[in-house]
Amino acid sequence: MKVKDYIEGGLKNFVEVTPSDYKEIGKCKSGCHAVSFYIKEENGKITDVKFNSSKRCKKLLAVADYVAEIIKQKGKVEFKDEEVLEFFKDEKEIEKVKDRLEIIKKALNK
C-alpha cells in the first residue's frame, strides 16, 4: 500500500490530545518529527492504542497508525519491521518509511 492511499482511508488512532483514561507508553523526537503513543489496558492486556505525532510527515502518520493497529490486534507492544515494511511495500520512498519506523521503535523502546 502507498502512504497516500493509507492516509486517504483515514487514520484510526490519531489523537490531538492525550485521552484521559490512557497512559503514555513512550515518545520520541527526531529532528522535526515527534511521536507519542498512549494505551488503554484491561487486565494487563492492551485494549486500545492512540498516538499523536507531528502532522507534517504523512509517512510518520501512516506508519504510526498502522503500528497502533498491530499492537491493538496483538494486545501487546509487539511487531516486526518486516510486517510494517511489507504493508507499505508500494511506497516509492521506502527508505523514508524505514526511517519513520525507527522513530516509532525508539518511542516504543523496540
Side-chain angles (χ1 to χ4, degrees):
M1 175 171 283
K2 289 186 178 181
V3 165
K4 178 180 175 279
D5 297 334
Y6 188 91
I7 297 284
E8 285 176 1
L11 297 172
K12 301 167 200 74
N13 306 294
F14 179 82
V15 293
E16 291 285 344
V17 295
T18 309
S20 59
D21 50 347
Y22 287 64
K23 71 177 184 180
E24 183 178 279
I25 58 166
K27 62 183 169 186
C28 178
K29 183 165 177 27
S30 176
C32 64
H33 304 296
V35 65
S36 300
F37 282 87
Y38 313 97
I39 61 167
K40 185 176 193 178
E41 287 181 302
E42 286 179 26
N43 301 322
K45 185 177 182 195
I46 297 171
T47 57
D48 198 16
V49 181
K50 300 293 180 200
F51 78 97
N52 177 284
S53 76
S54 40
K55 295 181 192 171
R56 187 171 168 224
C57 180
K58 293 191 183 336
K59 287 174 183 55
L60 182 61
L61 287 165
V63 175
D65 195 69
Y66 185 65
V67 166
E69 284 296 303
I70 293 171
I71 293 169
K72 272 198 296 194
Q73 192 176 34
K74 294 183 177 181
K76 56 187 169 182
V77 181
E78 183 180 284
F79 60 92
K80 292 185 172 77
D81 291 15
E82 301 80 45
E83 66 186 312
V84 177
L85 296 173
E86 176 65 22
F87 185 79
F88 289 108
K89 69 181 181 208
D90 296 334
E91 186 60 33
K92 281 187 277 187
E93 299 176 307
I94 198 69
E95 288 306 313
K96 286 186 180 177
V97 172
K98 287 179 184 175
D99 179 68
R100 301 323 181 258
L101 180 57
E102 288 304 313
I103 294 169
I104 290 162
K105 286 166 53 179
K106 283 180 191 161
L108 295 170
N109 297 313
K110 288 285 161 201

